Amino acid sequence: MEITFEELLNKAKEVSKNSYSPYSKFKVGAAVLYESNKIYCGVNVENVSYGITLCAERTAISSAIAQGEKTKIKAIAVYSPNQKNCLPCGACRQWLAEFAPDDTSKLRVVLEGCKGEAVDWGLDEIFPDSFKFTYCEPN
Ligand code: THU
């Protein structure tokens, strides 16, 4: 049976406890569901050199790639105990686009709504036009 969005959000909630965020104190957990039906989790990993911090979404996707995942992303749940509706930052949206199905509305971004419920958005809604690398020889 397929995992529900509520269950995926619970995985993000559980893993957010492992966040390494001593500087911002803003914990984030992410759980990514692939077409293979495998789930990979990640947390934000901060650094004393603030700008090289990694977001939870990208550590989750990196973990999937390192473990050999080859399918597309079906859904990602993002959770922070410090903020409801914790939407992915712009850089993470571009990362999601890299591994999204051709129809990006099929990639669902699942968040905790104001009342604790699971709310989902299509990647197409929150990142309508990603950067694409189409190289042309200069004239
Ligand atoms: N953060 C994420 O993990 N994901 C996002 O999409 C945005 C921000 C983290 C980075 C930093 O550790 C903390 O949240 C505050 O910006």
Side-chain angles (χ1 to χ4, degrees):
M1 207 189 71
E2 176 115 333
I3 187 168
T4 64
F5 287 163
E6 286 75 16
E7 288 165 339
L8 195 63
L9 194 57
N10 270 334
K11 287 195 182 288
K13 188 175 191 171
E14 194 54 39
V15 77
S16 72
K17 294 173 187 159
N18 298 333
S19 159
Y20 177 74
S21 41
Y23 305 104
S24 73
K25 313 263 192 275
F26 191 90
K27 292 174 180 281
V28 186
V32 195
L33 172 68
Y34 281 77
E35 285 173 350
S36 61
N37 283 330
K38 289 189 186 143
I39 295 166
Y40 304 87
C41 293
V43 296
N44 54 330
V45 183
E46 297 189 342
N47 191 272
V48 63
S49 175
Y50 293 4
I52 61 173
T53 287
L54 294 175
C55 290
E57 297 89 325
R58 280 179 277 165
T59 63
I61 293 169
S62 299
S63 172
I65 297 300
Q67 290 176 68
E69 183 59 58
K70 301 283 189 271
T71 69
K72 303 287 184 188
I73 297 175
K74 279 207 283 204
I76 181 168
V78 187
Y79 175 87
S80 172
N82 308 110
Q83 187 187 296
K84 307 269 187 200
N85 288 298
C86 185
L87 278 154
C89 75
C92 290
R93 294 178 200 198
Q94 181 73 45
W95 264 57
L96 288 167
E98 185 78 21
F99 303 105
D102 289 340
D103 177 357
T104 58
S105 68
K106 293 221 165 80
L107 193 163
R108 308 307 298 176
V109 178
V110 182
L111 313 169
E112 185 199 36
C114 294
K115 294 171 187 142
E117 77 282 22
V119 174
D120 68 294
W121 296 81
L123 183 63
D124 61 319
E125 294 174 281
I126 65 164
F127 199 55
D129 223 353
S130 66
F131 170 74
K132 290 179 185 71
F133 185 75
T134 42
Y135 181 79
C136 300
E137 285 293 338
N139 293 323

